[in-house]
Amino acid sequence: MLRYARSLLLSAVLLPAAALAESSGKVTDFVLDNGMQVVVIEDHRASVVQHMLWYRAGSADEPTGSSGVAHFLEHLLFKATDKLEAGEMSATVAANGGRDNAFTSYDYTAYFQRIAADRLELMMTMEADRMKNIRLTPENIATERKVIIEERNQRTENNPQALFGEQVSAAQYLNHRYGTPVIGWMHEMEELDLDDALSFYELYYSPNNAILIVSGDVTPDNVRTLAEKHYAAIPANPDLPERLRTEEPLQNAERRVIFRDARVAQPYISRSYLVPERDSGAQDTAAALTILAEILGGGTTSYLAEKLQFDTQTATYSAAWYSGVSLDDTTFRMVIVPSDGMSLEEGEAAMDKALAEFMKAGVDPKQLDRIKLQIRAAEIYAQDNVDGIANRYGSALTSGLAIEDVQAWPSILDAITAEDIMEAAKLLRREASVTGWLMRDEGDTR
């Protein structure tokens, strides 16, 4: 089985470019007269379609003092519209053998349905209806506000790791809304009202602020016909503001966060650096940071794992990741779990020593080749996931990238050199970092 799996991996990596292009599906895009962008990703292997509507409006676009309103509105859009009763849309999707949901991030809010291809028009009919015809009541507001508060209680307030992560992010961003949690601060969530929800809805939920992505067993002509029928009649918002964000000042003082909680089962060290995001037409730095994260903390064969988990046995776990798809400056993060008997101070010192050694030693060519092989294979296998492809384009396009950037990304990653990676590593400045310790309780000195 192992030899067979390796054979499959090698076959995928060695696929010619023409075969890769064929498997990846044809991508077509056009813009309706009202400014709505439509992206069609063809995949005719199964008679299934993913219909996704992405809005360029996330938690980082919220007014000051109304944190959580983007996520709150996401919940409220499952209430009544001019044509549908509360909950009827999800019930209709389920009755037709599909599934639906929605999610909110810093830079976008997205709604989706995955269903049989011949039900696409029904999905467009309902989604177009709630783009402009949501009908909210004070009762809706009161009920759903309790729901999101309970969600925060369950996912954040009852989770010391989540609370710790919020504090690290808040310390990382001095002036940008990325420092505010997507779900919102509890004291502001408790005050969200009908006016807050409707103001955000009326400002941002318009076709000229939306991207429709349809992937699966469809053709561009069919999608265009249906989109013209159901979405084109919705007027654009002429007052849609330019998407401007507060910028981070130069960060020149490293920060520390120490979070103590009696519920902590495993103390650990977190390090976050402010770094550039993927920019349209200029993705080389982001690509280098992406591979750097894999080199440093991409699994048990990574640099930190070998140094800390195996060579010195000072850690039981290590990881690194880079959040490149972002409208504004993003983060490069690392986590280290010290071994039993090692203090957090000793664990941090070991991590810093390993990073310093990496900066001197540079990139191992064999490790770089192995990571590139894995990336090529992952890119090929990702084409088999209709949901994943639609998400990849949606998150990119709502975060300032273009279709061409998404399509060029694999080749940009493949062209990154060891020198590019070491140059990107210089962006991990301690002056722009936050180091956090998650500790068991007030009396624990580890």
Side-chain angles (χ1 to χ4, degrees):
M1 276 303 293
L2 182 58
R3 285 195 299 270
Y4 178 64
R6 287 173 177 166
S7 176
L8 282 178
L9 175 63
L10 187 60
S11 297
V13 169
L14 297 178
L15 276 177
L20 176 57
E22 183 178 349
S23 68
S24 64
K26 180 182 178 183
V27 179
T28 306
D29 77 303
F30 52 90
V31 179
L32 303 180
D33 289 343
N34 57 12
M36 182 174 174
Q37 184 179 6
V38 182
V39 179
V40 182
I41 307 167
E42 296 181 66
D43 185 339
H44 302 289
R45 291 172 295 179
S47 188
V48 176
V49 66
Q50 176 112 334
H51 174 270
M52 303 192 78
L53 193 60
W54 296 71
Y55 291 95
R56 297 182 186 90
S59 65
D61 300 294
E62 297 165 341
T64 301
S66 298
S67 65
V69 70
H71 174 251
F72 186 36
L73 182 59
E74 175 213 311
H75 279 243
L76 291 168
L77 251 71
F78 289 87
K79 301 299 182 182
T81 69
D82 282 353
K83 300 177 181 179
L84 299 169
E85 296 298 325
E88 185 178 351
M89 182 170 183
S90 292
T92 301
V93 174
N96 282 272
R99 62 180 180 88
D100 73 326
N101 213 327
F103 49 89
T104 305
S105 188
Y106 291 110
D107 296 317
Y108 51 77
T109 308
Y111 303 81
F112 70 88
Q113 302 86 35
R114 181 168 170 79
I115 202 161
D118 62 357
R119 303 295 196 275
L120 177 58
E121 182 168 13
L122 177 60
M123 300 303 104
M124 285 198 189
T125 301
M126 295 189 293
E127 198 66 84
D129 179 39
R130 70 174 172 181
M131 179 183 282
K132 279 300 179 187
N133 300 323
I134 192 72
R135 291 292 171 258
L136 301 179
T137 67
E139 291 75 21
N140 295 154
I141 297 297
T143 300
E144 214 58 38
R145 187 169 53 221
K146 291 179 182 178
V147 171
I148 62 170
I149 287 173
E150 180 58 24
E151 183 178 338
R152 180 177 170 89
N153 281 329
Q154 291 182 357
R155 297 185 179 182
T156 306
E157 301 296 336
N158 290 329
N159 185 338
Q161 288 85 3
L163 290 170
F164 172 59
E166 280 190 345
Q167 295 299 311
V168 170
S169 292
Q172 180 69 84
Y173 290 96
L174 304 176
N175 195 44
H176 196 283
R177 295 285 291 181
Y178 287 166
T180 300
V182 172
I183 198 168
W185 297 118
M186 180 67 87
H187 69 285
E188 293 183 346
M189 294 169 65
E190 292 172 340
E191 301 298 322
L192 292 174
D193 58 24
L194 182 60
D195 288 340
D196 294 324
L198 286 178
S199 295
F200 198 82
Y201 176 70
E202 292 167 357
L203 184 61
Y204 291 115
Y205 279 57
S206 298
N208 51 324
N209 198 43
I211 302 171
L212 172 64
I213 299 183
V214 182
S215 60
D217 190 20
V218 293
T219 65
D221 288 344
N222 183 41
V223 173
R224 182 189 290 270
T225 297
L226 295 177
E228 291 280 0
K229 179 179 178 180
H230 296 286
Y231 288 111
I234 303 173
N237 178 10
D239 299 319
L240 182 68
E242 186 178 353
R243 203 172 192 190
L244 297 175
R245 303 274 186 79
T246 53
E247 294 184 9
E248 278 295 301
L250 176 65
Q251 295 194 0
N252 53 20
E254 62 179 289
R255 281 133 283 157
R256 303 191 68 84
V257 171
I258 298 177
F259 189 91
R260 299 178 176 89
D261 194 302
R263 299 168 295 179
V264 172
Q266 178 62 70
Y268 64 81
I269 304 140
S270 168
R271 172 77 56 74
S272 172
Y273 298 90
L274 189 72
V275 294
E277 75 284 4
R278 280 172 64 180
D279 288 323
S280 184
Q283 300 185 88
D284 288 17
T285 297
L289 287 168
T290 298
I291 297 179
L292 175 63
E294 287 296 312
I295 290 173
L296 290 178
T300 56
T301 59
S302 67
Y303 188 87
L304 291 178
E306 290 185 358
K307 286 289 183 180
L308 303 179
Q309 295 174 232
F310 302 115
D311 291 354
T312 64
Q313 297 185 353
T314 53
T316 59
Y317 176 78
S318 61
W321 64 96
Y322 166 64
S323 307
V325 179
S326 175
L327 190 63
D328 300 311
D329 283 349
T330 185
T331 55
F332 187 106
R333 301 193 178 206
M334 290 179 282
V335 166
I336 303 294
V337 178
S339 300
D340 288 342
M342 296 289 295
S343 69
L344 292 178
E345 184 176 10
E346 290 170 327
E348 182 182 342
M351 178 181 73
D352 287 337
K353 181 181 178 182
L355 291 173
E357 290 173 351
F358 172 77
M359 293 301 294
K360 290 181 180 178
V363 176
D364 179 351
K366 291 183 179 179
Q367 185 185 23
L368 179 57
D369 288 343
R370 183 174 67 250
I371 287 173
K372 286 188 175 184
L373 277 174
Q374 293 168 347
I375 288 173
R376 290 177 203 142
E379 289 293 332
I380 292 171
Y381 290 133
Q383 310 305 324
D384 287 334
N385 187 333
V386 175
D387 300 10
I389 293 174
N391 276 290
R392 179 181 299 189
Y393 277 94
S395 60
L397 297 178
T398 49
S399 301
L401 298 172
I403 289 174
E404 294 75 18
D405 297 314
V406 178
Q407 294 173 333
W409 182 242
S411 61
I412 291 174
L413 285 169
D414 199 47
I416 293 299
T417 65
E419 290 74 21
D420 296 330
I421 295 166
M422 296 310 298
E423 190 65 27
K426 296 177 184 178
L427 295 170
L428 307 186
R429 299 171 48 247
R430 287 295 291 265
E431 296 83 1
S433 73
V434 178
T435 302
W437 288 6
L438 178 65
M439 305 175 69
R440 281 201 177 94
D441 56 39
E442 192 68 39
D444 193 338
T445 58
R446 283 173 37 117

